[in-house]
Amino acid sequence: MPESTIIYTHTDEAPALATYSFLPVIEAYAAQAGVAVETRDISLSGRIVSQFADRLPADQQIPDALAELGELAQQPEANIIKLPNISASVPQLKAAIAELQQQGFDLPAYPEDPQTDDERDVRARYDKVKGSAVNPVLREGNSDRRAPASVKKYVQSNPHSMGVWSSDSRTQVATMGADDFRANEKSVVIEADTTLRVELVGDDGATTVLREEIPVLAGEVVDATAMNVAALREFLTAQIARAKADDVLFSVHLKATMMKVSDPIIFGHVVRAFFPKTFAAFGDVLAGAGLSPNDGLGGILAGLDGLDQAAEIKASFDAELAEGPKLAHVDSDHGITNLHVPSDVIVDASMPAMIRTSGHMWGPDGEEADTLAVIPDSSYAGVYQAVIDDCRENGAFDPSTMGTVPNVGLMAQKAEEYGSHDKTFEIPTTGTVRVVDASGEVLLEQAVEQGDVWRACQTKDIPIRDWVKLAVSRARATGDPTIFWLDEGRAHDANLIAKVNAYLPEHTASIEGGDDLDIRIMSPIEATKLSIERIRRGENTISVTGNVLRDYNTDLFPILELGTSAKMLSIVPLINGGGLFETGAGGSAPKHVQQLVKENYLRWDSLGEFLALAVSFEHMATTTDNARAQVLADTLDRATGTFLDENRSPGRKLGTTDNRGSHFYLALYWAQELAQQSDDAELATSFGELAEKLAGEEDTIVAELLAVQGKPADIGGYFRPDVDKATAVMRPSQTLMDALAILP
């Protein structure tokens, strides 16, 4: 790969469609700085097909781009722009497989209960691509996420709507607080390089090896914990009754995409708890038909056709829906409840959206209502409760005056819970799970019961050191209070606190005025209270968190501050010197695709791509001494400011600028900035001609873009669009394509 190369990832849904439109602009402009732009397919469909290359003909084979980029992320020349991708739940994975089969890919079905060696092999391949398959591979560095100054300024001048909070709001968070992952956690710091074995010693004396070998390094933090399923069921039953008694909506908030083993199991228990009579009467029938509550109510209802008792089962579900508390809905118009699909309600996006909307979710009647938000594990639930309590007391936040809470996140090298999938198990028999090192010493052990969910997590020492270093650098750059969100009462956090206290002096002592930096350690709940107290005063506070809280905070605060987390600048300084630049969240991407197919209008906002591209060019300039890349970065940043000031983001309805139109205006403003810059006369001349042509053809280009709206669009597939069809749909202005071609 040439030294001056940007890898632009091809992902899924709306971001992938937007790439078809924006990529010609990126390629044309980057070429003027001698920067090549290459794409890599890390979409869900691409990941699936790449796993079965040995079973497919040569013309259908796709290289394993994710593995390639995982290796590149460890190299100093890495410069990767990563767009949002599908973190597939099992229902999404099955849907993608079905579409690929319809497109002619001879792929095996997803085996729910593999019995043969071949089925186990197929299942293992599919397990590699579901859930958070992408992020742990690419994130070879820690996260620096913040609202760019231009975005913050724009939002303060053009604040988004916020729901009105009432002091008598009955919205609450319900969490276990005992017998859950947080309460049962144990943690150890590894003294020397070794390997670990995870084994289950049953009460009958039989030993089952759950994981044969886990390499670990000296200084690494290893945790083990379990959720007691009996306690979980008791808790869920109580919360369902509570929601009914309090006349509020019942909702559950998990992350079945990233926590792809544990959270679907927990989700299944919620479905069972909400429909106890149905599962008591028909549980065996459903299981025999391969219909699992872990896949959600929607999957069960869709699979009833052909069962002799289908009508009876459907009637039982309907009766319990009527008897129980009102369920929060994802789509009230179509009867899609909070329990239909495990990946429909993702805690880090759903909770901030609820808080922004007066503490309400949507009920079955299509109206907003107070909600009991059930977050079974108590590790981070208190963060949301603290924000809800504050809003109930002080009202909604004001985006025009509120401060900001940027984040430094510990996520490098599969840190913490998000790297736990291959070490998470549903326990088959009562006994004790032990983590044993190579010498036979038992480092961690826990009593478990049949059905409990047990997991181990790893956090290597090098990422922790890098995390502390990054936190100090951001504290120094901003002068803002910088808070490590760590709870001394939690086993894992206690070990991290010891490391933070050891490593902080190494970095603060090496900088002028380091002792004057305001760096603190606080529990997540207390850190939340201080941060929201400060943002109400318009003050900024840096949150320094572990991996899951990084995910939560970088949705919670941006959704309140900016209206969306897609407008955040997300930089991942890779440990070995490269750069990974992420473009924001993709939670709304499915709805955008549906709208495009229905009426050829793509509402996806590519602002995150613009922000990531600018810092990618800046990184390129720094690491390769490419002055023109810096010019592109500086002018793109100014063009993005103009883009915001001129309100060129996609509108909300037909007849307004959509994603494709926003790309045209960004290209126009960027060309104008390049034409006016004085650092490179040759660039100024080239882009002066382009700027003049784009401005002169504005009416024609806009007319061509608007002309296609209002009619269905055929892109040839949801998970794997047809390249030619998607290209034609997303590049409807030949005038724009011709204009870009005039660049030398």
Side-chain angles (χ1 to χ4, degrees):
M1 188 180 71
E3 184 181 45
S4 294
T5 301
I6 292 173
I7 301 296
Y8 202 89
T9 57
H10 174 82
T11 56
D12 301 286
E13 300 174 322
L17 292 172
T19 297
Y20 282 99
S21 171
F22 190 38
L23 194 60
V25 177
I26 302 172
E27 291 173 333
Y29 285 53
Q32 307 312 302
V35 176
V37 179
E38 299 180 2
T39 60
R40 294 292 187 277
D41 183 358
I42 59 170
S43 65
L44 174 60
S45 64
R47 303 196 312 267
I48 291 171
V49 175
S50 73
Q51 292 300 313
F52 292 92
D54 58 324
R55 297 184 175 215
L56 297 171
D59 62 340
Q60 289 187 334
Q61 293 176 10
I62 296 174
D64 190 346
L66 180 58
E68 177 194 347
L69 294 188
E71 295 177 3
L72 176 60
Q74 300 178 52
Q75 305 303 316
E77 66 269 21
N79 190 316
I80 304 168
I81 296 179
K82 189 259 175 191
L83 279 69
N85 60 277
I86 293 175
S87 294
S89 62
V90 171
Q92 286 176 303
L93 180 60
K94 290 178 178 177
I97 295 167
E99 179 179 297
L100 288 165
Q101 290 170 337
Q102 291 172 358
Q103 292 176 348
F105 290 89
D106 186 17
L107 296 169
Y110 178 82
E112 289 281 2
D113 184 23
Q115 298 296 321
T116 67
D117 287 344
D118 182 64
E119 288 177 343
R120 282 187 283 271
D121 173 62
V122 169
R123 175 64 177 266
R125 298 190 197 203
Y126 281 134
D127 283 349
K128 289 181 180 179
V129 303
K130 73 182 182 184
S132 57
V134 172
N135 292 339
V137 174
L138 297 186
R139 288 172 171 171
E140 284 290 324
N142 292 308
S143 169
D144 171 10
R145 296 200 74 190
R146 56 188 187 270
S150 59
V151 175
K152 187 68 173 174
K153 178 182 177 182
Y154 173 79
V155 170
Q156 288 177 328
S157 301
N158 303 271
H160 53 272
S161 62
M162 297 285 278
V164 177
W165 272 82
S166 169
S167 60
D168 59 3
S169 168
R170 291 170 294 158
T171 291
Q172 296 284 348
V173 173
T175 191
M176 292 176 68
D179 292 316
D180 61 357
F181 289 130
R182 183 196 180 282
N184 292 333
E185 186 175 71
K186 297 180 180 180
S187 182
V188 64
V189 178
I190 302 299
E191 293 184 358
D193 295 2
T194 185
T195 58
L196 305 180
R197 182 177 72 256
V198 180
E199 60 186 27
L200 169 63
V201 181
D203 285 352
D204 60 0
T207 297
T208 303
V209 176
L210 301 177
R211 181 72 190 273
E212 182 65 46
E213 190 173 279
I214 304 170
V216 290
L217 304 175
E220 191 165 337
V221 179
V222 175
D223 315 313
T225 189
M227 175 169 282
N228 182 277
V229 167
L232 171 65
R233 290 172 177 164
E234 183 178 342
F235 164 77
L236 293 172
T237 299
Q239 301 319 308
I240 292 167
R242 175 184 174 186
K244 175 79 170 178
D246 292 349
D247 192 27
V248 295
L249 301 179
F250 176 89
S251 67
V252 65
H253 301 261
L254 295 164
K255 192 147 190 178
T257 51
M258 295 293 277
M259 302 307 298
K260 62 186 179 182
V261 179
S262 61
D263 282 21
I265 296 171
I266 297 170
F267 188 87
H269 284 294
V270 181
V271 175
R272 286 180 177 275
F274 203 91
F275 301 100
K277 297 176 184 177
T278 302
F279 279 95
F282 303 107
D284 291 342
V285 175
L286 295 173
L291 301 176
S292 169
N294 296 14
D295 296 341
L297 178 61
I300 294 175
L301 296 177
L304 292 180
D305 293 344
L307 294 184
D308 293 339
Q309 297 170 284
E312 193 177 351
I313 296 172
K314 176 66 165 57
S316 181
F317 276 120
D318 289 342
E320 291 201 86
L321 274 172
E323 294 170 5
K326 291 175 289 187
L327 259 180
H329 274 58
V330 172
D331 185 346
S332 301
D333 292 342
H334 297 92
I336 307 301
T337 74
N338 186 267
L339 299 183
H340 262 64
V341 182
S343 56
D344 269 355
V345 183
I346 305 300
V347 57
D348 47 323
S350 60
M351 287 300 297
M354 184 187 80
I355 293 168
R356 180 184 166 186
T357 315
S358 311
H360 294 161
M361 294 188 74
W362 296 98
D365 56 0
E367 300 295 327
E368 296 179 19
D370 290 342
T371 303
L372 181 65
V374 176
I375 306 175
D377 180 49
S378 60
S379 295
Y380 314 109
V383 168
Y384 296 115
Q385 185 65 60
V387 179
I388 289 170
D389 290 342
D390 179 84
C391 289
R392 189 164 24 237
E393 180 179 350
N394 299 305
F397 296 96
D398 182 355
S400 67
T401 61
M402 66 189 295
T404 186
V405 183
N407 179 263
V408 174
L410 173 59
M411 69 178 193
Q413 300 179 351
K414 305 179 183 180
E416 300 182 307
E417 294 97 324
Y418 284 170
S420 68
H421 319 306
D422 59 354
K423 298 175 286 294
T424 302
F425 306 95
E426 190 171 20
I427 299 302
T429 184
T430 300
T432 301
V433 177
R434 308 192 309 182
V435 178
V436 185
D437 69 12
S439 71
E441 180 182 355
V442 176
L443 302 183
L444 300 165
E445 64 179 349
Q446 281 151 323
V448 290
E449 299 175 7
Q450 183 178 3
D452 286 357
V453 182
W454 184 95
R455 75 175 183 218
C457 306
Q458 297 173 257
T459 313
K460 295 179 174 61
D461 188 59
I462 289 176
I464 297 172
R465 291 175 181 266
D466 181 75
W467 177 56
V468 174
K469 176 183 177 182
L470 183 57
V472 172
S473 71
R474 294 305 302 153
R476 180 189 186 192
T478 64
D480 294 329
T482 300
I483 301 175
F484 285 84
W485 292 38
L486 297 170
D487 183 355
E488 63 182 3
R490 182 178 173 186
H492 169 79
D493 285 11
N495 278 329
L496 255 63
I497 288 172
K499 286 180 173 288
V500 169
N501 284 330
Y503 301 151
L504 269 175
E506 297 177 7
H507 301 294
T508 55
S510 64
I511 61 176
E512 184 177 349
D515 292 340
D516 296 330
L517 296 176
D518 185 357
I519 299 177
R520 318 178 202 177
I521 297 174
M522 302 178 71
S523 74
I525 292 175
E526 293 307 312
T528 302
K529 291 177 179 178
L530 176 63
S531 298
I532 57 181
E533 175 188 324
R534 288 177 54 81
I535 60 175
R536 285 191 181 276
R537 298 199 300 262
E539 298 172 341
N540 306 332
T541 313
I542 298 172
S543 65
V544 187
T545 70
N547 206 351
V548 174
L549 264 178
R550 170 200 59 80
D551 224 5
Y552 291 10
N553 281 9
T554 56
D555 271 319
L556 173 61
F557 293 108
I559 287 174
L560 298 178
E561 293 174 34
L562 310 177
T564 172
S565 58
K567 295 180 179 178
M568 290 286 280
L569 179 61
S570 182
I571 302 172
V572 183
L574 299 174
I575 292 174
N576 290 332
L580 174 68
F581 309 98
E582 300 184 324
T583 66
S588 59
K591 292 183 179 179
H592 293 326
V593 179
Q594 293 163 12
Q595 184 179 14
L596 176 81
V597 171
K598 180 180 180 182
E599 53 191 19
N600 207 340
Y601 187 91
L602 186 66
R603 197 175 140 196
W604 176 258
D605 190 344
S606 288
L607 179 61
E609 287 99 290
F610 305 161
L611 300 172
L613 183 60
V615 289
S616 171
F617 278 128
E618 184 174 38
H619 180 78
M620 180 71 68
T622 301
T623 56
T624 66
D625 198 26
N626 185 330
R628 282 192 166 180
Q630 187 63 55
V631 172
L632 289 178
D634 294 340
T635 52
L636 176 54
D637 188 54
R638 294 197 294 270
T640 301
T642 303
F643 175 90
L644 291 169
D645 291 340
E646 295 294 326
N647 195 25
R648 297 301 187 182
S649 294
R652 302 181 68 86
K653 58 184 179 180
L654 290 179
T656 62
T657 298
D658 81 340
N659 176 264
R660 294 162 289 192
S662 71
H663 294 158
F664 159 64
Y665 280 108
L666 189 280
L668 170 62
Y669 301 146
W670 194 4
Q672 289 173 338
E673 289 290 345
L674 281 159
Q676 295 165 11
Q677 55 83 30
S678 59
D679 293 335
D680 190 316
E682 185 179 359
L683 274 185
T685 299
S686 296
F687 280 98
E689 182 181 355
L690 177 60
E692 183 178 353
K693 186 168 183 61
L694 290 176
E697 300 281 7
E698 178 180 356
D699 291 344
T700 301
I701 293 171
V702 170
E704 289 173 348
L705 295 173
L706 293 177
V708 301
Q709 294 184 14
K711 299 178 285 290
D714 179 11
I715 57 174
Y718 181 89
F719 293 98
R720 193 159 194 83
D722 178 270
V723 172
D724 292 336
K725 290 181 178 180
T727 299
V729 168
M730 294 306 300
R731 301 177 191 173
S733 173
Q734 188 59 48
T735 306
L736 175 57
M737 294 298 105
D738 291 343
L740 294 174
I742 72 171
L743 287 172

